Amino acid sequence: GAVVSQHPSWVICKSGTSVKIECRSLDFQATTMFWYRQFPKQSLMLMATSNEGSKATYEQGVEKDKFLINHASLTLSTLTVTSAHPEDSSFYICSARDRRVSSNQPQHFGDGTRLSIL
Amino acid sequence: AQKITQTQPGMFVQEKEAVTLDCTYDTSDPSYGLFWYKQPSSGEMIFLIYQGSYDQQNATEGRYSLNFQKARKSANLVISASQLGDSAMYFCAMREGGGNFNKFYFGSGTKLNVKP
C-alpha cells in the first residue's frame, strides 16, 4: 500500500532554533500534501495544504511566516518551524494522497514528528 | 457548526465483544466521503474503512463495518470481536465534495479501551 515517510520522528531542541520536518511519499506521487498539528488527547488540526510547485494554503489562524512549507517535488514536502518556542511543542503529522487514484481513497499519513522545544 | 462530531470521548469494551463508535457529520454537499482512522499510542494514523455518500451498501473491512445512515447523517464504526490491540484513539473524518484533493475534517476522537 501507499507509504508516507516522515522524518525526524522526534526532535528536542532549544528555544529559538528552526526545525525542518520532511514528508515523503515513497511509492506514489502527491501533488497535494497536508500538514496537521495534534495536541495531546486532541484531534488533528489542519495547518496547511501543501501544493507542488505553488504556495501552500494556510488555515485561518496559522502563521505562514512561522510555519514555512515547501513542496518542491511530487514526493517531498517540508515544514519548517522557524524560531521555535516552547508553545510550538506538539505532534506534527503529514498526509498525502496519490494523485492518480479516485476520491474514495484515503489520505495516507506519515508516522508523525514529536517536537519538544526547551 | 462542527463538520464531524464524535460524542464519546472514551469507551470501554470487553474483549471479544462488539462495540459501536458514534460519528455524525454536517454537510450540504451531496458528494462526500467518510473515513475512519485508528491512532495507537505510538501516533501513526491507520486507515480503517471508507464510505462514499453515494454508496448504497454499508462498507465492511474485516472486523470493521460502517453503519451509514444518510438521512440521519451518521456514520458509526462497528468493531466486532474486539481484541486487546484495538485499544487506541479512533477518528472519524469527512472529505467534503468530490475532489481528489479536498481537505479532510476530523472529529475529536474516541478513546477505546478493550478490557481482557
Side-chain angles (χ1 to χ4, degrees):
Chain A
V3 177
V4 175
S5 173
Q6 188 171 340
H7 178 81
S9 56
W10 203 312
V11 180
I12 301 174
C13 58
K14 294 181 179 180
S15 184
T17 307
S18 291
V19 178
K20 180 185 283 188
I21 303 169
E22 293 187 350
C23 182
R24 292 181 185 273
S25 55
L26 296 185
D27 53 357
F28 65 96
Q29 293 182 331
T31 48
T32 302
M33 293 184 177
F34 302 90
W35 287 96
Y36 296 85
R37 181 174 182 176
Q38 186 179 28
F39 292 103
K41 300 182 180 181
Q42 293 189 25
S43 187
L44 280 70
M45 182 191 78
L46 179 65
M47 300 175 65
T49 302
S50 171
N51 302 299
E52 187 267 336
S54 64
K55 292 183 179 180
T57 303
Y58 289 82
E59 294 299 302
Q60 191 173 8
V62 178
E63 299 176 60
K64 58 182 66 177
D65 294 332
K66 176 74 172 176
F67 299 99
L68 300 179
I69 291 173
N70 183 276
H71 193 152
S73 77
L74 287 172
T75 59
L76 174 65
S77 175
T78 61
L79 168 68
T80 301
V81 183
T82 61
S83 187
H85 292 284
E87 59 266 28
D88 298 322
S89 298
S90 191
F91 186 64
Y92 293 87
I93 191 165
C94 70
S95 71
R97 293 185 73 244
D98 189 333
R99 66 174 184 162
R100 300 166 301 175
V101 300
S102 60
S103 58
N104 65 349
Q105 294 300 304
Q107 292 185 13
H108 298 282
F109 285 84
D111 287 343
T113 298
R114 296 191 187 280
L115 176 62
S116 295
I117 308 298
L118 305 177
Chain B
Q2 294 273 12
K3 291 282 187 181
I4 293 286
T5 302
Q6 293 180 256
T7 57
Q8 306 154 314
M11 289 279 286
F12 284 90
V13 65
Q14 200 70 37
E15 192 179 10
K16 299 181 184 178
E17 291 185 351
V19 63
T20 298
L21 306 184
D22 294 343
C23 173
T24 58
Y25 58 93
D26 181 31
T27 181
S28 57
D29 197 312
S31 178
Y32 53 88
L34 298 160
F35 301 79
W36 277 91
Y37 285 86
K38 172 185 177 182
Q39 186 180 43
S41 57
S42 50
E44 71 268 30
M45 294 286 284
I46 302 167
F47 166 68
L48 297 178
I49 196 167
Y50 165 84
Q51 182 84 43
S53 59
Y54 296 117
D55 292 345
Q56 296 295 312
Q57 293 187 324
N58 287 346
T60 59
E61 287 286 349
R63 293 186 300 112
Y64 304 109
S65 61
L66 204 151
N67 184 2
F68 182 45
Q69 298 188 42
K70 196 169 182 177
R72 298 178 62 181
K73 293 189 175 180
S74 72
N76 299 340
L77 176 70
V78 180
I79 305 174
S80 62
S82 298
Q83 301 173 355
L84 295 178
D86 294 334
S87 294
M89 282 290 288
Y90 288 80
F91 291 99
C92 180
M94 177 175 68
R95 184 209 71 247
E96 194 171 44
N100 270 8
F101 307 107
N102 290 5
K103 61 187 178 184
F104 280 29
Y105 298 92
F106 283 86
S108 54
T110 296
K111 184 168 177 57
L112 177 66
N113 286 289
V114 180
K115 299 185 292 184

